Amino acid sequence: MSQSELSEQELQRRENLSKLREMGINPYPAELYPVNANAQDIKREFPEGKEVCLAGRMMSQRIMGKASFAELQDASGRIQVYFNRDEICPGEDKTLYNDVFKKLLDLGDFIGIKGTVFKTQVGEISISVSSFSILSKVLRPLPLPKTDPDGKVYDAFTDPELRYRQRYVDLVVNRQVKDVFVKRTKLFNAMRQFFNDAGYMEVETPVLQSIPGGASARPFITHHNALDIPLYMRIANELYLKRLIVGGFDGVYEFSKNFRNEGMDRTHNPEFTAMEIYVAYKDYNWMMSFTEQLLEHCAVAVNGTTVCTFGEHSIDFKAPYKRVTMRQAIIDFTGFDIHGKSEEELRSAAKGMGLEVDETMGKGKLIDEIFGGKCEGNYVQPTFITDYPKEMSPLCKVHREDPSLTERFELMVCGKEIANAYSELNDPIDQRERFEEQLKLQERGDDEAMLIDQDFLRALEYGMPPTSGLGIGMDRLIMYLTNNPSIQEVLFFPQMRPESKSKVSLNGQEKEIFEVMKSHGEMPLSALRAKFDISNKVWDTSIKTLTKNHLLKVSKENNQLLIKILV
């Protein structure tokens, strides 16, 4: 990055970096720093008088002559630290305090401190610093929010696109974001514990597959150079897990990264995490009870209660959950009975309901469109929708009482599906016929129809015991458990468009600064700053935008920062 693209603060931080090196201080030391405590434990246990060693970012600094306060933020939280000049510099040389601490440290810098725990006169647990070390110099200023005496917050880092692109900054300055991902890990751990306690085994299956099977979705396609064959990113792991049931495992599960080359919205990301579990000698009725117990266990593990808030709704994951057949759900909300209807009757009904359908859609997709458009959103509390029409479920066993249906359920919460389960189809002849029906849909233009997986059919011919399988969208589930309406909020690094390389348009403040510079041409940066009553963050962002777009240039001449217009 050229000097002309750096903001005033970035230039100053690089100058501080150079001065530290000139003083013989390595701002990026390699050696271990002997941390033996963290902020949370010190506050919780308050071992007054105990000597501690901890490290983290300096997030605030209040310099008051010979004594100063700062805030140190580590992975567990923040704690106040007290710097006394004569304690840190007991000899005649006060450089470490007067120059390094007061002038060359910047907010966000990583420091290590050694000192003694004490309580201030106002009762705040703090650390009296006896020595400190610079562990990593930060060259970009953090977008730290400020709070006025009335409690109003300014300059908060809230822009969603910036937060998702720069999650590393988001996690530093918006501490509540970290809590979401801590809960996400608690969810995975709780689910693993539940499965392991039941005696089921975690496994891994291929991400690169020769046939994208196990779901109806558009795959991402790549090419294997050595084998000279196309390969597909996994859209589901179902068929591989069933192969393991054929191979003799009674229960297997996997947390899998799946990839679907489809649209993006608040509940869909092209890369997502699903959990699938398959248990031999069970059916979908058993799996409904198992799912209720699982989610009740997970809700308590994550939040300490089965009740969680999602938007305006209070959701209770305590078992048991309501059960409604798909046929009855559609009758309840449309008055239309799908039972026994032909494809044309279903298409006509869907059009009459104002739904967008086309000639490529078979009976399964038409019914799915009716349910999704008219029924799904009405189920707020956890509800099992059961007994799906056969055309909607090519991998599911035919219903034992009605051959037009399958033994399948989906769990709906707040109008969205978070779990899908079957009594798995283990009849290889029936399975082949279902795949062939999918092939016909492909020929009609349905690019989400399943391909025929000949190896999976061969596996079934070696025999698969009666089995029930369950899939859960982990990202969507943690959205509910943490009250986040967007999937991007529960993914560390959601998929984003590449950042634009073209010049950005100027906002009002940037235009004002540019207009002033057009009339002056060149002036001291401090003189330009004095003309605008704006926050440091807005000022720094504005100057950075103008210099990045080569409209202005900041340079240093005779120990003074100058700014000049370039166009």
Side-chain angles (χ1 to χ4, degrees):
M1 184 182 291
S2 68
Q3 291 288 102
S4 64
E5 294 179 316
L6 298 176
S7 69
E8 178 184 2
Q9 288 192 50
E10 288 172 323
L11 286 169
Q12 184 61 58
R13 285 169 181 253
R14 279 164 172 76
E15 185 173 342
N16 291 347
L17 176 72
S18 296
K19 288 180 178 179
L20 287 169
R21 284 180 165 146
E22 289 169 5
M23 296 170 68
I25 298 174
N26 182 359
Y28 304 104
E31 62 268 21
L32 171 151
Y33 193 77
V35 173
N36 63 14
N38 65 50
Q40 185 181 68
D41 287 345
I42 291 171
K43 286 184 170 183
R44 182 189 298 128
E45 299 169 8
F46 185 41
E48 190 166 15
K50 181 178 180 179
E51 293 186 357
V52 295
C53 179
L54 66 163
R57 290 182 185 268
M58 187 179 73
M59 299 300 285
S60 69
Q61 190 181 39
R62 302 191 305 280
I63 296 174
M64 301 177 290
K66 297 179 181 180
S68 302
F69 285 95
E71 266 191 313
L72 192 76
Q73 178 173 298
D74 63 15
S76 69
R78 291 190 184 187
I79 192 166
Q80 180 173 265
V81 290
Y82 171 71
F83 290 80
N84 182 285
R85 186 191 68 182
D86 296 330
E87 178 71 19
I88 293 171
C89 308
E92 292 297 319
D93 185 1
K94 308 296 183 184
T95 303
L96 190 61
Y97 180 83
N98 289 339
D99 293 335
V100 176
F101 174 74
K102 290 175 68 175
K103 298 175 182 178
L104 302 181
L105 277 186
D106 294 296
L107 297 187
D109 285 354
F110 283 90
I111 61 172
I113 65 165
K114 296 178 182 178
T116 306
V117 181
F118 75 105
K119 186 179 287 188
T120 65
Q121 291 181 347
V122 296
E124 183 168 359
I125 299 169
S126 307
I127 300 171
S128 178
V129 179
S130 58
S131 66
F132 76 94
S133 304
I134 296 175
L135 302 180
S136 183
K137 187 77 181 135
V138 175
L139 300 183
R140 286 179 182 264
L142 291 168
L144 295 173
K146 301 170 185 64
T147 306
D148 65 17
D150 298 326
K152 188 174 181 180
V153 178
Y154 295 89
D155 297 340
F157 189 60
T158 55
D159 181 82
E161 181 168 347
L162 282 177
R163 288 181 50 240
Y164 303 152
R165 288 191 190 280
Q166 301 177 26
R167 182 68 84 187
Y168 38 88
V169 176
D170 190 30
L171 290 163
V172 173
V173 301
N174 295 321
R175 296 294 291 172
Q176 73 281 3
V177 172
K178 183 178 179 181
D179 294 338
V180 171
F181 292 98
V182 170
K183 287 186 173 182
R184 182 184 174 104
T185 295
K186 286 183 177 180
L187 172 63
F188 280 72
N189 289 344
M191 203 169 277
R192 276 194 174 94
Q193 177 193 2
F194 192 87
F195 295 151
N196 292 342
D197 288 349
Y200 307 136
M201 191 171 87
E202 185 170 9
V203 297
E204 292 182 346
T205 62
V207 174
L208 288 174
Q209 302 179 353
S210 58
I211 293 178
S216 297
R218 296 188 192 95
F220 286 93
I221 305 173
T222 186
H223 185 82
H224 192 289
N225 291 334
L227 296 177
D228 193 24
I229 58 171
L231 288 174
Y232 302 87
M233 300 292 284
R234 164 171 69 194
I235 59 174
N237 55 350
E238 176 171 344
L239 301 188
Y240 283 94
L241 292 176
K242 288 181 182 177
R243 285 173 170 94
L244 297 181
I245 297 296
V246 171
F249 289 97
D250 279 348
V252 292
Y253 71 93
E254 180 178 20
F255 293 97
S256 67
K257 281 292 185 183
N258 295 343
F259 306 85
R260 298 185 182 179
N261 198 355
E262 299 171 342
M264 295 170 57
D265 57 33
R266 295 173 72 84
T267 58
H268 294 88
N269 194 65
E271 175 184 352
F272 63 97
T273 304
M275 184 290 305
E276 294 203 26
I277 183 169
Y278 292 82
V279 185
Y281 311 112
K282 310 296 183 186
D283 66 4
Y284 82 138
N285 291 311
W286 177 89
M287 188 61 81
M288 270 188 269
S289 298
F290 184 77
T291 303
E292 291 171 332
Q293 296 162 24
L294 169 67
L295 294 182
E296 181 176 326
H297 167 80
C298 289
V300 172
V302 171
N303 290 323
T305 174
T306 60
V307 179
C308 66
T309 299
F310 186 73
E312 61 184 18
H313 302 296
S314 178
I315 310 300
D316 193 349
F317 281 99
K318 186 170 181 59
Y321 304 158
K322 184 179 178 182
R323 291 154 166 75
V324 181
T325 66
M326 174 164 277
R327 176 186 178 187
Q328 189 59 50
I330 293 175
I331 292 173
D332 289 343
F333 293 105
T334 71
F336 179 72
D337 189 350
I338 61 173
H339 184 67
K341 296 298 189 294
S342 68
E343 182 179 309
E344 282 310 312
E345 288 173 315
L346 290 168
R347 184 175 289 106
S348 176
K351 289 179 179 178
M353 296 174 195
L355 300 172
E356 291 188 14
V357 295
D358 58 53
E359 298 304 313
T360 69
M361 292 181 172
K363 290 179 68 174
K365 277 209 165 184
L366 290 168
I367 294 169
D368 192 33
E369 192 71 25
I370 293 171
F371 177 77
K374 296 298 179 180
C375 309
E376 192 174 69
N378 296 292
Y379 295 103
V380 175
Q381 295 301 322
T383 304
F384 290 118
I385 304 299
T386 69
D387 301 348
Y388 281 50
K390 183 177 178 180
E391 294 81 4
M392 294 182 68
S393 311
L395 298 169
C396 186
K397 185 170 286 189
V398 171
H399 198 283
R400 68 197 73 175
E401 296 174 0
D402 185 341
S404 70
L405 303 176
T406 55
E407 296 199 347
R408 174 185 178 185
F409 72 77
E410 288 187 313
L411 179 63
M412 299 292 166
V413 179
C414 284
K416 295 291 182 180
E417 170 245 326
I418 62 168
N420 187 20
Y422 306 157
S423 292
E424 300 295 336
L425 180 56
N426 60 344
D427 179 341
I429 296 174
D430 189 359
Q431 182 64 82
R432 182 177 295 277
E433 291 172 353
R434 305 275 196 97
F435 276 150
E436 288 170 351
E437 287 298 318
Q438 289 287 300
L439 186 60
K440 291 177 184 176
L441 291 174
Q442 255 196 346
E443 292 168 352
R444 289 172 52 179
D446 186 347
D447 58 359
E448 292 186 351
M450 289 188 192
L451 300 174
I452 298 179
D453 188 333
Q454 298 291 352
D455 180 69
F456 175 66
L457 289 172
R458 178 170 56 194
L460 285 187
E461 288 172 357
Y462 279 102
M464 185 176 84
T467 298
S468 184
L470 167 73
I472 292 178
M474 299 299 291
D475 307 313
R476 196 171 289 177
L477 178 55
I478 198 62
M479 286 169 60
Y480 292 129
L481 293 176
T482 59
N483 194 17
N484 276 299
S486 170
I487 194 171
Q488 286 82 9
E489 293 289 352
V490 301
L491 301 175
F492 271 129
F493 304 106
Q495 194 66 43
M496 306 285 290
R497 290 185 185 277
E499 292 185 73
S500 173
K501 299 298 182 183
S502 60
K503 291 184 180 180
V504 297
S505 1
L506 302 182
N507 64 28
Q509 188 63 65
E510 292 156 0
K511 288 177 181 176
E512 287 183 31
I513 294 172
F514 187 61
E515 287 301 316
V516 170
M517 286 304 301
K518 282 167 69 175
S519 61
H520 286 78
E522 180 177 317
M523 64 192 301
L525 189 62
S526 58
L528 179 64
R529 176 72 178 90
K531 293 179 179 292
F532 297 94
D533 184 20
I534 54 178
S535 72
N536 287 336
K537 179 185 175 183
V538 173
W539 166 258
D540 197 54
T541 302
S542 300
I543 294 299
K544 190 170 185 177
T545 299
L546 291 164
T547 54
K548 270 190 173 181
N549 285 278
H550 307 291
L551 299 174
L552 302 179
K553 178 181 179 181
V554 177
S555 59
K556 189 174 183 181
E557 297 179 20
N558 300 322
N559 290 323
Q560 184 182 39
L561 289 174
L562 296 178
I563 187 163
K564 63 178 68 177
I565 194 164
L566 296 178
V567 293

